[in-house]
Amino acid sequence: MLRQQGIVAIIGVIVVFAILHLGFAPEHHDPRTTGTTMLGGIAFLLMTCSIVLSTRLDIFEDLFGGLDRMYQVHRVAGVFAALTALVHFFGVPKDLPEGVDPVANALVPSAPLGMLGLIFLVIGLFIALNRKIRYSRWRPTHKMMALVYVLIIGHFMTAPNVFVEQFSASGLMIILAAIIGVISLIYSLFGMNRRTALPFRIEAVNALERATEVVLTPVGKMLDFKPGQFAFVEVQGKGWSEPHPFTISSAPDEGQLRFTMKVLGDWTRKVREELQPGGEVKVRGPYGRFDAAGAGKKQIWLAGGIGLTPFLSKLRAMQPDDDRQIHLVYAARDQQDAIFLDELKARAAKLGNVTLVPLFSDEGHFARVDKMKENLPDPLSTYEYFMCGPKPMVDGLMKGLRKEGVARKNIHTEAFEFR
Ligand SMILES: Cc1cc2nc3c(=O)[nH]c(=O)nc-3n(C[C@H](O)[C@H](O)[C@H](O)COP(=O)(O)OP(=O)(O)OC[C@H]3O[C@@H](n4cnc5c(N)ncnc54)[C@H](O)[C@@H]3O)c2cc1C
């Protein structure tokens, strides 16, 4: 779940900037100049926040509720930055104030730098939001946004004093943000945002129904993780391109790592067709905050298809003395598609505190809030919910639960995508 602390921190930075900018505006500035330069500053701060989030630092995971949430905020901050920058561009006075020499002003590169930055920002945003572009192509293009940031710094630093005063209180805040932003850019662009890679040997590659289970044995240190967390998997060898994120489906005390990968595109198909036991894999992580251990005593776990993986790890880690009451709703296409169903049944029977509810869409059964209301012993608002599955399913359930009075803080979701 997206935690409010992170959003409050971003809003706080923007509010402080606005107060400083409006409160200490130079007397010779007309309201339009003050207002539009403030919007330019806000756009820059939003871009900086977006860049800082791409550092993937642990502290931000705590603040925002996991890496998947950080990337959602990264995207939204980018969109708002572009919109605010557009308003700034159209609103900022184009005529030079009296007394400013147009020839001297023409020699200052602020306007062309800003214009270029804005054009690249808008193009970059269209590319960033285009889901049709393959991830492996999209990623290097997205990194070009770093250029936009540098152009905008140039635009601000060379802007004539009649528009902004770089060394005013709000100007200094922008300069500080630029320093943090540039350090974050270098950190991310040079791959320092990837957590230390631990080497693993491929123990087994098991073909399942439309998915592959990859079992890894640590070569040295074992990855320390909590059930529900994920990691980036990097297969060593030619043609294996960039790391891919997968939820760890094993329990932390198994001594091995298990990932269950749905066959979706080129990389996951290659895993199924070409990955061989004995090969080397690097695992970076763990990431994520989809943790049910510290939540309420009555929990509903809603898994759709491959969205079962975080719950698989939680269930595999669960001890017989666990005092939570858990309903695991597992929605799949049909019996065959419901991977690990037999294991889930056996574990639920052994544990005693887990009620398993398999639902097959081919038989006309879906995860539905009205059915949950009918079948659960207590009112819906008394449970804590954990959901992972296809977006339409998660969005639909979220809407239904909210309508039934379930507090937002009691609904936790894990997104299987970053963009
Ligand atoms: C936090 C998280 C946990 C996940 N856990 C699981 C899991 O347990 N089991 C499972 O089957 N899938 C999981 N996924 C999804 C999995 O990462 C993608 O299905 C996989 O990377 C697809 O790669 P592809 O090249 O085969 O498919 P493509 O068709 O190329 O990609 C399909 C989707 O995956 C995204 N994607 C592709 N490559 C990457 C990458 N390198 N980094 C980030 N996103 C990428 C794309 O944006 C696209 O939306 C998880 C994703 C995230 C973000």
Side-chain angles (χ1 to χ4, degrees), residues 40 54 108 116 123 141 199 214 221 224 255 274 305 347 382:
S54 64
V108 179
L116 264 183
I123 296 173
T141 330
V214 179
K221 199 171 159 255
D224 184 16
E274 296 177 24
R347 284 189 185 273
T382 61

Side-chain angles (χ1 to χ4, degrees), residues 25 48 75 115 124 156 158 165 168 178 200 243 262 265 267 323 327 333 342 374 386 400 402:
T48 308
R75 188 175 62 223
M115 182 79 108
F156 165 76
T158 58
E165 293 198 353
S168 63
F200 282 79
K262 184 174 174 178
W267 197 88
D323 61 351
H327 289 258
R333 189 190 289 176
D342 289 341
E374 227 172 271
F386 291 83
R402 296 288 287 128

